[in-house]
Amino acid sequence: MAKDVIIALDFPTREETLAFLDQFPAGEKPFVKIGMELFYAEGPQIVRDIKARGHKIFLDLKLHDIPNTVKRAMNVLSRLDVDMVNLHAAGASEMMKGALEGLTRPDGTCKPGSGRPLLIAVTQLTSTDAAALKNELLSDVPMAETVMSYAKNAADSGLDGVVCSPLEAALVKEKCGENFVTVTPGIRFADSAVGDQKRIMTPEKAGKSGCDYIVVGRPITQAEDPVAAYRRAVRDFLGQ
Ligand code: C5P
């Protein structure tokens, strides 16, 4: 299975994003994540431009709507030729299956399973704590059980994997199969600032803990030397 480091491009503008990417030498094209902030600020053209520069792209828009709407939206996003997209598992299996049906490649020829973008589910947001789960989402099921049940539901719906904490990756693989992809944020070097992340792991440990893709933002984007920080993350994660 492919393993890679994905840089979270959490920048507010096109200028800042491209200035960041320009620091990398011409032949080095990291896998990058484009989230809501950049996508809503700059629109789909920023995705096309970064793709044209040769990067693989995880488009992190976390879709959640009725099945037909998500299916059609995924079909539109397929035209951007991205490599990974996501949705909320809370939308339930019909929505997840609809999303799969909508995903193709830009020429519309690729059927699910033959080269379409990887479809990844968000289980419970890491910002939802046990109190919110109980008092606002009205569930008495413990968080860990909820996360694993959502992951299993995503796997049973045909999705490729989940976004999860690196601490959950091994258990997700155990429940959903070795080939079920784990995409894990919450990565910090042993000597980098933790910031607002709570459940963290180093790239090296993540590499040995069932994580297929690690998503790394500030430890690379805010580093004094982002290219060196990226290479360090790759080296540590892949054990090279
Ligand atoms: O800067 P940092 O490494 O914390 O960035 C992590 C990235 O992963 C951010 O883009 C954040 O939105 C995203 N993410 C996360 N936790 C989740 C889901 C996504 O940190 N549960």
Side-chain angles (χ1 to χ4, degrees), residues 6-10 33 35 58 60 62 86 122 124-127 163-165 183-188 194-197 200 215-222:
I6 302 178
I7 304 178
L9 295 179
D10 292 326
K33 178 171 90 70
F58 170 19
D60 178 20
K62 301 185 180 72
N86 63 356
V122 174
Q124 279 291 342
L125 291 171
T126 42
S127 51
V163 179
C164 64
S165 155
V183 181
T184 58
I187 301 295
R188 291 292 179 268
V194 171
D196 52 359
Q197 293 283 12
I200 55 171
V215 176
V216 190
R218 288 161 290 180
I220 293 175
T221 58
Q222 308 298 316

Side-chain angles (χ1 to χ4, degrees), residues 5-13 16-24 30-34 37-38 187-189 192-193 215-231 233:
V5 174
I6 302 178
I7 304 178
L9 295 179
D10 292 326
F11 297 104
T13 64
E16 283 175 69
T17 307
L18 298 185
F20 170 78
L21 293 176
D22 282 343
Q23 297 175 84
F24 288 84
F31 201 140
V32 296
K33 178 171 90 70
I34 296 176
E37 182 185 14
L38 186 58
I187 301 295
R188 291 292 179 268
F189 295 116
S192 61
V215 176
V216 190
R218 288 161 290 180
I220 293 175
T221 58
Q222 308 298 316
E224 218 165 282
D225 183 345
V227 176
Y230 168 70
R231 289 176 184 161

Side-chain angles (χ1 to χ4, degrees), residues 48 62 76 86 91 149-150 162 165 176 178 192 202 208 217 225:
R48 294 187 194 100
K62 301 185 180 72
V76 172
N86 63 356
S149 173
Y150 278 31
V162 285
S165 155
C176 302
E178 198 47 44
S192 61
T202 62
K208 297 174 181 150
D225 183 345

